[in-house]
Amino acid sequence: DQQVKQNSPSLSVQEGRISILNCDYTNSMFDYFLWYKKYPAEGPTFLISISSIKDKNEDGRFTVFLNKSAKHLSLHIVPSQPGDSAVYFCAASDRGNQGGKLIFGQGTELSVKP
Amino acid sequence: GAGVSQTPSNKVTEKGKYVELRCDPISGHTALYWYRQSLGQGPEFLIYFQGTGAADDSGLPNDRFFAVRPEGSVSTLKIQRTERGDSAVYLCASSRSPNTEAFFGQGTRLTVV
């Protein structure tokens, strides 16, 4: 039972263009969503989060959009840079009932070409 | 150190042996989490501590897995009678509270041969 899904295993984008990473979830009790970035041989690094009471959160080049009715969130990176090349994981939690326990998607490997 | 520290970074053990993996969370973080990541997958939740107590251990796969956090800081994940299927990267994370973002360590790569 995959509660959080990232259907694209990989994405390739030209430097300077927009990268859009997508994530779908099935559990309507999720109230907090996060994106993590992971380089090889390192642990995931927190990028940006959004509460279910919002539909958008922005931090520099990174913006996360949440569509609760569609149970869908996306991460936009503008402009994309070669250093953004990594695996991106979306994660969700039901903080009201399950505290900080995170359910992760399978990840999308982003490659930004110079 | 400033971040979450996990030791060892790599561990190779023989099938049937016992292993202990250690996690040093960020100072002052009361919540601590263990996850396991297999190749090509996202991290999979194992157990979560709030202070010294296990608030949720629903992700532990079976009774060969056990974790402790006796003083509310360092945690140890213990695996008995290891199996080849236990091979994975074991990740530890900590957060200031259950409602704030978690910060991950670099992981321990466990290989059972």
Side-chain angles (χ1 to χ4, degrees):
Chain A
D1 174 25
Q2 191 77 27
Q3 297 186 68
V4 178
K5 291 184 183 179
Q6 294 175 255
N7 291 316
S8 298
S10 63
L11 174 68
S12 184
V13 168
Q14 204 67 33
E15 181 179 7
R17 306 295 289 266
I18 185 171
S19 295
I20 300 176
L21 297 103
N22 293 301
C23 179
D24 297 293
Y25 62 96
T26 57
N27 188 344
S28 57
M29 297 299 291
F30 288 147
D31 57 6
Y32 189 55
F33 303 87
L34 308 90
W35 284 93
Y36 283 84
K37 170 177 165 179
K38 187 179 183 303
Y39 294 117
E42 294 184 11
T45 302
F46 170 74
L47 262 182
I48 192 168
S49 62
I50 188 166
S51 164
S52 59
I53 62 172
K54 296 187 174 181
D55 54 19
K56 176 182 173 181
N57 189 25
E58 193 170 350
D59 183 1
R61 296 186 297 116
F62 301 91
T63 303
V64 56
F65 295 92
L66 175 63
N67 182 335
K68 286 190 293 294
S69 60
K71 294 193 178 69
H72 177 85
L73 66 155
S74 61
L75 175 68
H76 292 210
I77 307 173
V78 183
S80 302
Q81 299 173 354
D84 295 329
S85 297
V87 178
Y88 288 78
F89 292 98
C90 77
S93 69
D94 171 8
R95 289 188 299 179
N97 294 303
Q98 297 189 323
K101 170 183 174 180
L102 296 176
I103 307 298
F104 283 84
Q106 310 94 304
T108 297
E109 183 169 11
L110 173 66
S111 175
V112 180
K113 309 249 182 249
Chain B
V4 177
S5 175
Q6 291 187 246
T7 53
S9 52
N10 280 284
K11 175 73 177 177
V12 180
T13 191
E14 291 181 347
K15 179 175 178 295
K17 298 286 190 185
Y18 168 82
V19 296
E20 289 190 352
L21 311 179
R22 176 188 166 106
C23 173
D24 251 295
I26 293 171
S27 178
H29 280 196
T30 61
L32 184 146
Y33 312 85
W34 284 98
Y35 291 84
R36 175 169 75 171
Q37 185 173 19
S38 301
L39 197 61
Q41 301 296 316
E44 176 189 6
F45 171 79
L46 295 176
I47 186 169
Y48 144 52
F49 288 90
Q50 179 57 37
T52 59
D56 184 344
D57 64 358
S58 61
L60 295 177
N62 51 60
D63 62 6
R64 294 187 298 105
F65 288 75
F66 189 71
V68 294
R69 194 186 185 200
E71 296 177 0
S73 178
V74 170
S75 176
T76 306
L77 178 65
K78 309 180 181 200
I79 310 174
Q80 298 178 319
R81 304 183 305 279
T82 51
E83 299 177 357
R84 292 197 179 88
D86 299 335
S87 297
V89 175
Y90 288 80
L91 293 163
C92 176
S94 71
S95 62
R96 190 172 302 281
S97 77
N99 291 333
T100 57
E101 63 268 18
F103 296 88
F104 282 80
Q106 83 283 8
T108 294
R109 180 175 296 280
L110 175 66
T111 304
V112 182
V113 297

